[in-house]
Amino acid sequence: YFNVINDGGGVFGRKIKLVSLDDAGAPERTKANTLKLLNEEKVFALFGYTGAFTINPILPLIEKNKVPFFAPASGDLSTRDPVMHYVFNIRASYIDETEKIVEQLARRGLTKIALFYQNDAFGRAGMAGLERALRARKSNILIFGSTDRNSTNVASSAQTIAKSGAQAVIISAGANTASAFIKEMKKLGSEAQICLLSSVGAKTLAAQLGENGRGVEVSQVVPLPFSDSEPLGREYLKRIGGPGNASFASLEGYIAANIFVEGLKKAGKVLTRESFVDALDKIGSIDLRGYRVKYSADNHNGSSLVELTVLGAGGNYKR
């Protein structure tokens, strides 16, 4: 989307330059990259950081440098509560995701719910969301299982949960850990419904599970990226080069880029970091061809959209 804007002359004549650095999911590299972007690249804003594990340690740098931190790919409450002046989310929170999953399971009569999580900020955020959703229904998590971040040492947790009588298991973990756990549950003959949060990495998970993924449910915070049934989807697929190149993650980035540009336009010709933040605080509701975002000075959450998808044959997701 930035390329489209630049090809059209930019925003008030300014071209957008996207500088990308890889932190490999390591917080120390996230901090080093952030300092490089701020001190050497002199960036206007920080955009599209991924994962609470790497985001949370650099949040103090955001406030210290008074730099817009836009569209973090994380549903953690650390970027939401309390509202941070320079942080703007576009995606739903993990609380929104777990609530939607539990609501759907309850409608199907599946009330004995276990949790498997990786022991980091993402995993614990999933646990907090599930506890909240169940507490509202006067229920509790049936049983827990956990492992270290990126670990595939899951056999013990899988055995414990499989024996518990759980009707459903919610997983708050990355793709490597989650796929290892799901495969172990399948080996044990468990028929529990498996549900995962969006930050698992839907495309990677499908590739790692293969046919073991059939029936696995994943909550998503953007519309189905492979569908051209809606205006946003048609536009995105045309620009990404068709369904073969599409993914939930890239659609999230595409949406974020759209909204970022709206903020630049609203900020006007005299652009500063503060004028950009002020413009977003006053922008109200944005309807991005069906994807709706809302900002105000006391609400930087953006969207609460959650859709539930299921893995079918060939690793394809459907609603």
Side-chain angles (χ1 to χ4, degrees), residues 19 33 37-38 51 69-70 84 88 93 113 154 167 171 173 179 200 210 246 254 258 261 264 268 275 284 302 315:
V19 181
N33 286 350
L37 290 169
L38 291 170
F69 189 73
F70 198 81
M84 299 180 69
F88 290 86
S93 70
I113 302 174
V154 299
Q167 297 169 305
I171 300 175
S179 61
V200 67
Y254 185 80
N258 270 263
V261 168
L264 292 177
S275 70

Side-chain angles (χ1 to χ4, degrees), residues 272-288:
T272 66
R273 287 173 172 173
E274 287 299 333
S275 70
F276 177 73
V277 169
D278 185 59
L280 287 173
D281 278 348
K282 296 175 180 176
I283 205 165
S285 296
I286 305 170
D287 187 346
L288 191 63

Side-chain angles (χ1 to χ4, degrees), residues 208-281:
Q208 291 183 354
L209 285 177
E211 287 304 303
N212 284 309
R214 294 189 69 169
V216 167
E217 297 179 357
V218 183
S219 58
Q220 308 291 354
V221 294
V222 296
L224 204 65
F226 319 103
S227 172
D228 62 359
S229 62
E230 297 171 1
L232 177 62
R234 286 194 295 273
E235 175 189 302
Y236 162 74
L237 287 174
K238 180 180 178 180
R239 289 175 175 162
I240 201 72
N245 296 323
S247 70
F248 291 98
S250 74
L251 178 56
E252 183 173 345
Y254 185 80
I255 290 170
N258 270 263
I259 299 167
F260 186 83
V261 168
E262 287 301 307
L264 292 177
K265 290 177 179 177
K266 292 290 185 183
K269 293 182 179 180
V270 182
L271 180 65
T272 66
R273 287 173 172 173
E274 287 299 333
S275 70
F276 177 73
V277 169
D278 185 59
L280 287 173
D281 278 348

Side-chain angles (χ1 to χ4, degrees), residues 269-318:
K269 293 182 179 180
V270 182
L271 180 65
T272 66
R273 287 173 172 173
E274 287 299 333
S275 70
F276 177 73
V277 169
D278 185 59
L280 287 173
D281 278 348
K282 296 175 180 176
I283 205 165
S285 296
I286 305 170
D287 187 346
L288 191 63
R289 276 85 76 203
Y291 187 94
R292 293 174 177 81
V293 173
K294 186 176 182 180
Y295 294 126
S296 67
D298 57 2
N299 180 10
H300 288 182
N301 289 343
S303 171
S304 59
L305 172 76
V306 179
E307 292 189 348
L308 301 182
T309 60
V310 61
L311 259 172
N316 295 315
Y317 286 92
K318 56 185 179 181

